[in-house]
Amino acid sequence: MLDIATELHGWTEQDRDFAVATVVAVSGSAPRRPGAALAVDAGGTVIGSVSGGCVEGAVYDLCRQAIEDGHPVRERFGYSDDDAFAVGLTCGGVIDILVTPVRRGDPARPVLAAALAAAIRGEAAALALVTEGPAELLGLPLLVRADAPATSALAAQPAVERAAASQATALLDAGRTAHITVGGDGSPGCGPRTGLLVVANMPAPRMIVFGAIDFASALVRIGRFLGYHVTLCDARPVFATAARFPDADEIVVDWPHRYLERTETDARTVLCVLTHDAKFDIPLLRLALTLPVAYVGAMGSRRTHLDRNARLREAGVPETALARLRSPIGLDLGAHSPEETALSIAAEIVALRRGGTGVPLRGAHTPIHHDEADGPEGRVGSAA
């Protein structure tokens, strides 16, 4: 439900009763992943999505019923092609939906409200929901944060609460969304089992765009659209202005390599070098290729690419590091305009992030929805 945190937080502030339907398990092809949510308030207002439209009508009815009777429910929706009037997924997958009522006076409500507030502040937090086990625990939440004690509605099961908090904290540290299971005595496998879905919310990943050119303006826009915190950096103050880059979260006037030396990056950070000027590119890329970031791409013609690689070798950059450089930047879309070029760069970033091949889906025998744990982001342990 953290994907609709802003709207849900507004509902809690307005003291509305509502119910949240969360995707808790997926098998086969499905449009939304675990953690995706749809919510319905007592007046019938709907936000979010759990299936891209296939089962939303049935889930809406389940939410309205949960608001009325206060009981959580878990439902499974599968393939519906055998019966044109059946409710189900047309993509061939199976999804499990947990519907949780959130009503005034509910002991779970303060925990959920705290999780929503942390999410919209961009804090590192993980929300765990009981998805299977004793009926009285179904749908109850637990919240862990990096800088605060865990809070939950599981006080009646202290052993389960402690074990779940410990595992959820480990997933938060790794930035992962996953299922966990604990036994009735708090151990991983002994006694009656309680299953929880842990959804980690991490601060937005960073995209740093170097070079205040027209292509950068388009890339800044699409980077922000994809959910990155976007920084534009250029050494020339006349070009690096808020008027030229209104969509940037941050504009930095500094030599690119000096800024990269002092700013924070992590395994989700993407670096896009659009300066294609050796006096900027070489010191910047020499440093960038030593950092454990998700993506380093550099713009330029094939001639520029060959010259730049030669200069980087002369500067002491080893072949193993050069192999990480995405240059010329982007996928082959036949792009010409700044917007088309930004799309090709973004497509390459998404393909690398999600483990995609970049080939057309038509005629391909690859999955449409890749398992995030199999992609580069999953391997380094960061969030979506």
Side-chain angles (χ1 to χ4, degrees), residues 156-345:
Q157 297 285 340
V160 171
E161 182 182 51
R162 286 193 301 270
S166 176
Q167 293 192 49
T169 299
L171 288 171
L172 175 61
D173 290 342
R176 291 182 53 217
T177 291
H179 290 273
I180 61 174
T181 303
V182 297
D185 62 354
S187 64
C190 299
R193 300 197 312 166
T194 299
L196 302 95
L197 173 68
V198 181
V199 180
N201 180 74
M202 299 292 288
R206 296 193 68 190
M207 172 184 283
I208 308 177
V209 180
F210 299 96
I213 62 176
D214 51 354
F215 291 93
S217 180
L219 183 57
V220 165
R221 289 198 300 274
I222 199 168
R224 190 164 184 180
F225 176 74
L226 290 175
Y228 286 92
H229 179 94
V230 184
T231 299
L232 184 284
C233 176
D234 195 293
R236 303 165 298 175
V238 68
F239 293 111
T241 66
R244 297 188 69 227
F245 298 93
D247 296 299
D249 294 291
E250 181 183 22
I251 296 174
V252 175
V253 178
D254 200 351
W255 277 73
H257 72 282
R258 289 198 310 211
Y259 173 65
L260 188 57
E261 285 174 345
R262 62 181 170 83
T263 194
E264 291 187 9
T265 60
D266 61 24
R268 301 182 299 157
T269 302
V270 299
L271 307 177
C272 301
V273 181
L274 309 187
T275 48
H276 53 83
D277 183 329
K279 67 177 178 289
F280 295 120
D281 288 2
I282 303 307
L284 172 60
L285 289 171
R286 184 181 179 183
L287 171 60
L289 292 171
T290 68
L291 301 176
V293 295
Y295 176 92
V296 181
M299 176 176 276
S301 66
R302 296 197 181 278
R303 179 177 178 178
T304 299
H305 163 74
L306 293 173
D307 176 71
R308 183 166 50 215
N309 275 10
R311 290 172 182 264
L312 288 169
R313 289 187 183 98
E314 291 174 4
V317 177
E319 294 298 323
T320 52
L322 274 178
R324 296 182 56 215
L325 179 59
R326 300 280 171 160
S327 173
I329 197 169
L331 298 184
D332 180 13
L333 304 184
H336 285 280
S337 70
E339 290 74 18
E340 290 173 346
T341 302
L343 178 61
S344 83
I345 297 169

Side-chain angles (χ1 to χ4, degrees), residues 4-14 113-114 116-118 120-121:
I4 51 175
T6 300
E7 296 91 339
L8 285 183
H9 184 259
W11 287 5
T12 61
E13 292 288 288
Q14 296 160 14
L116 297 171
I120 63 176
R121 288 194 300 265

